[in-house]
Amino acid sequence: MLLTSVILILQEILEAALIISVLLAFSVINHLSRQWIKSALILGIISALGYASQVERVSEWFDYVGLEIVNAAIQFTTALFLVVFASLRFKEKTPASAQLSDRIWQILMALIVCLAIAREGFEILLYESGFFGNPALWSPVFVGSLIGAGIGVSVGALLYYSLVNINAYAGECLALILLALFTGNMAAQGALLLIQADFLPSGQPLWNSSWLIAEDSMIGQLLYALIGYEASPTAIQAGAYGVFFTLMLVLFALRWPKKPHSGQ
Amino acid sequence: MITAPLRPIAAFLSLFFVQLIFQANLYGDTAMITIEIKDHLFFPSRVEIPAHTKVKLLVINRDNTAEEFESYELNREKIIPGGAKAVIFIGPLQPGEYPFFGEFFPKTAQGKVIAR
C-alpha cells in the first residue's frame, strides 16, 4: 500500500500545488499580499471535507453521474474565474483601478485555490478514510501519503522559487502562460467529465501520443498536472482546451504590459 | 470592461446548460453492462462490448471502502464511494483491448474492456 499511497497522493497534491505556486509567484511578482493563501487553504479544506461527507448523495444525482456534473461545474467555474482574473488588468492604470483589481485578484486567487483543494482533497479524504477500519495498513498508508505529499509540495516549491527568482518580466510571462495552460486544462477536463456523463457526445480520439509520452509515465503525470496533457483527446476536449487557452492568451496580450516589468 | 471577453465563455456555458436540460434520457436505449467491485476485485474482470457503440457501465461497489475506476486507454476516471453505484459511459470504441483498474487498490482491482 505504501507505493500506491505515494503515487495516489502525489497525483492529487501535484495539480493543486502547481496552481498554488503559480498564483503565489504572481502575487510576489506583482507586489500583492500573500495573505489570501491562508483563507484559501482553510476554506479549501472545509470544502473538501463537506464534499467528501456528501459524496454518496452527490454520486446518485443525475442518474448516477452526479460526481461528473459537480466536478465539471467546479472546473468550468475555475476556468471562468481565471478568465475574469486575466481581464482585470488595465493598460492605463489609475490608483483606484489598481487597488480594485488587486483586491479582486486576491479574492479570485483564493477562490481558485479553494476549488482546487476541494476537488483534489475530497479524493484524498475518500482514499484515506477507507483504511480507518484496518489498523494494519495505517502505517504504510500514512508514510506513503506523507512521502507523496512531500514530493508534490516540493515540486510546487521548486516551480514557485523558479518563477520568483528569474527576471520579474520573464517570471510574470511564464506565470501567465502557465495560467493560460491551466485554464485550458480545466475546460478540457470539464468537457471530458461531461462526455463521461453522456451530457456531451463522445467521439474518436483526434490523435494518440501515448507511444511518445504515456499518461501513466512520470513525465505524463507531471505534464497532466501542469498543462493537462492527454494522450488521446477527443475533438470536444481539444476544442475546449483551445478556446480557453487562446482566450487567456488574447486577454493577456491585450491587457498586459509589453515592456519589461518596472515594479510598483 | 470584462463583459466583452466573457461573451464567448457565456455562450459556451449556455450550450452546456441547454445540453443539461435536453439530455435527460435521450439515450435510454444505450446498452448497459454491470460490473461489481467486491473485496477490491472487479466482477466480471473481462467485459466484452460491441465496437463502435456507446455502452453504459453500471459499477456497483459492494465493498465499504471507496474505489476509483480508472482507465488511461478509455480516458475514464471516476470515484465510486463504498456501497454506492455509479454510471460511466464508454465508447464508441475501435476494436481492441482497453485495460481498467481500481486506483485505490490497483494490485487487485484489474480488468479490461474488449471491443469486438
Side-chain angles (χ1 to χ4, degrees):
Chain A
M1 284 322 290
L2 189 121
L3 190 61
T4 304
S5 302
V6 173
I7 294 168
L8 200 122
I9 303 302
L10 174 59
Q11 282 174 348
E12 303 303 335
I13 294 265
L14 204 53
E15 196 174 294
L18 292 176
I19 186 66
I20 290 171
S21 303
V22 174
L23 292 176
L24 276 178
F26 177 86
S27 301
V28 171
I29 293 164
N30 286 283
H31 309 282
L32 296 170
S33 160
R34 283 170 292 171
Q35 289 300 311
W36 58 267
I37 190 69
K38 286 182 193 164
S39 30
L41 288 174
I42 294 167
L43 209 61
I45 291 167
I46 293 170
S47 308
L49 284 165
Y51 193 6
S53 73
Q54 296 302 315
V55 69
E56 283 164 37
R57 187 176 302 175
V58 174
S59 72
E60 288 176 6
W61 290 353
F62 300 100
D63 211 8
Y64 298 101
V65 291
L67 284 177
E68 279 91 342
I69 306 307
V70 171
N71 285 339
I74 292 176
Q75 275 155 333
F76 281 114
T77 307
T78 304
L80 199 65
F81 284 161
L82 281 154
V83 170
V84 178
F85 178 93
S87 312
L88 282 173
R89 182 71 167 232
F90 304 96
K91 269 184 186 169
E92 313 234 339
K93 222 168 166 187
T94 62
S97 74
Q99 204 178 14
L100 182 68
S101 63
D102 286 358
R103 176 67 62 85
I104 300 175
W105 265 339
Q106 289 175 54
I107 294 170
L108 286 171
M109 288 191 287
L111 289 172
I112 291 163
V113 168
C114 169
L115 289 177
I117 294 173
R119 204 179 61 240
E120 307 295 337
F122 104 96
E123 293 200 17
I124 294 176
L125 288 167
L126 280 186
Y127 174 69
E128 305 282 340
S129 66
F131 298 100
F132 281 167
N134 198 343
L137 291 175
W138 285 357
S139 172
V141 169
F142 179 72
V143 173
S145 303
L146 216 57
I147 296 171
I151 300 171
V153 172
S154 304
V155 175
L158 188 70
L159 178 65
Y160 169 77
Y161 286 109
S162 305
L163 288 173
V164 296
N165 283 314
I166 54 173
N167 165 289
Y169 182 66
E172 181 161 42
C173 285
L174 201 55
L176 295 182
I177 289 169
L178 286 171
L179 284 180
L181 289 165
F182 184 81
T183 311
N185 179 14
M186 287 296 103
Q189 281 189 33
L192 176 62
L193 287 169
L194 293 182
I195 292 169
Q196 181 168 305
D198 203 26
F199 278 57
L200 282 177
S202 184
Q204 294 299 327
L206 280 183
W207 66 79
N208 190 342
S209 52
S210 55
W211 59 273
L212 186 65
I213 302 171
E215 271 181 58
D216 54 349
S217 68
M218 181 98 98
I219 295 185
Q221 291 287 333
L222 188 64
L223 286 177
Y224 174 79
L226 193 61
I227 61 166
Y229 172 71
E230 190 83 64
S232 51
T234 61
I236 289 181
Q237 280 174 270
Y241 197 113
V243 165
F244 277 81
F245 175 65
T246 311
L247 178 65
M248 290 293 278
L249 286 189
V250 168
L251 286 171
F252 288 142
L254 288 176
R255 294 181 179 275
W256 247 253
K258 288 178 180 64
K259 59 185 181 215
H261 204 276
S262 55
Q264 289 170 331
Chain B
M1 290 294 285
I2 59 169
T3 48
L6 286 178
R7 266 177 218 147
I9 305 298
F12 200 63
L13 291 176
S14 310
L15 276 177
F16 282 136
F17 190 64
V18 169
Q19 185 84 10
L20 293 186
I21 295 167
F22 291 102
Q23 188 73 22
N25 296 322
L26 202 63
Y27 300 106
D29 55 346
T30 305
M32 187 172 82
I33 288 175
T34 304
I35 300 177
E36 294 195 5
I37 301 170
K38 198 163 186 294
D39 298 327
H40 313 305
L41 293 164
F42 288 112
F43 296 100
S45 58
R46 196 184 142 94
V47 177
E48 288 200 21
I49 65 163
H52 313 294
T53 309
K54 185 165 58 186
V55 171
K56 182 178 178 178
L57 292 182
L58 173 67
V59 188
I60 304 171
N61 187 355
R62 302 277 183 206
D63 289 336
N64 53 17
T65 53
E67 182 54 280
E68 186 166 21
F69 179 98
E70 171 129 20
S71 172
Y72 294 109
E73 288 75 8
L74 292 167
N75 244 345
R76 294 291 180 266
E77 183 179 9
K78 174 158 185 162
I79 287 211
I80 305 130
K85 286 183 200 170
V87 164
I88 304 165
F89 287 88
I90 59 168
L93 298 171
Q94 295 289 345
E97 292 193 357
Y98 300 83
F100 60 86
F101 63 100
E103 201 179 12
F104 289 1
F105 298 91
K107 284 185 186 136
T108 51
Q110 301 252 4
K112 65 173 73 160
V113 169
I114 297 155
R116 288 188 199 275

